[in-house]
Amino acid sequence: MRRAFADLSDEPCPVCSELAERGVIRRRAVMPLPNFPARLRADGRQCCRDCQATETTMAMNIGQHPSFEPARLTIANERDEGLSMPLGLMEHMGLCKAGFVDPCSIDDLHQHIEWLNRHGIEEQHSPADERA
């Protein structure tokens, strides 16, 4: 099975980047474009595998939200959860188990955060974080 961070370019997905900037998805869910990126059906922009998975799950009538932004949030949450799991666990859960989302693990987290920081995509903090 292909891993989420395999065969990627260094460029952030413009679709994810826009959604994160607007607060639709967490910045941690911004993914790099693959070496050969797909194009978003709505406007033809290049997109990452998670954005492509969003469109796929929307088209398959499997209970996914019919609008792109909330559907992309579902995939983003799945990615964020995977980044906190031990290696090999994500493959047995949710949309990854169903074959829609490529697996990742906590082993990918540090390198992904470094990549985000290099591109100026810094983690957001919620008001709850500031109270703690």
Side-chain angles (χ1 to χ4, degrees):
M1 176 179 271
R2 179 179 62 195
R3 306 289 305 167
F5 295 97
D7 302 319
L8 300 175
S9 73
D10 188 54
E11 185 156 342
C13 172
V15 179
C16 290
S17 297
E18 178 189 318
L19 293 173
E21 195 62 35
R22 293 190 359 243
V24 175
I25 63 173
R26 291 185 66 191
R27 294 175 190 268
R28 186 181 293 185
V30 173
M31 293 295 288
L33 288 173
N35 289 324
F36 301 100
R39 298 218 174 248
L40 201 63
R41 290 181 189 138
D43 60 14
R45 286 185 291 169
Q46 291 183 330
C47 64
C48 68
R49 292 181 189 135
D50 285 359
C51 287
Q52 185 178 15
T54 301
E55 288 194 320
T56 300
T57 57
M58 289 172 63
M60 294 195 67
N61 196 23
I62 59 168
Q64 178 63 288
H65 197 282
S67 299
F68 184 81
E69 288 183 4
R72 181 63 182 90
L73 177 60
T74 299
I75 302 295
N77 289 341
E78 191 103 355
R79 175 67 54 223
D80 198 40
E81 288 177 16
L83 285 166
S84 66
M85 293 180 184
L87 182 64
L89 186 58
M90 187 178 183
E91 287 90 327
H92 303 286
M93 301 192 177
L95 293 171
C96 184
K97 182 178 181 178
F100 295 112
V101 177
D102 293 333
C104 61
S105 72
I106 197 158
D107 295 352
D108 300 309
L109 180 60
H110 181 71
Q111 187 174 358
H112 185 56
I113 289 174
E114 284 181 355
W115 176 83
L116 291 166
N117 289 337
R118 275 197 320 271
H119 289 281
I121 307 168
E122 297 178 10
E123 192 66 24
Q124 300 155 271
H125 298 287
S126 70
D129 293 337
E130 293 177 16
R131 287 191 299 268

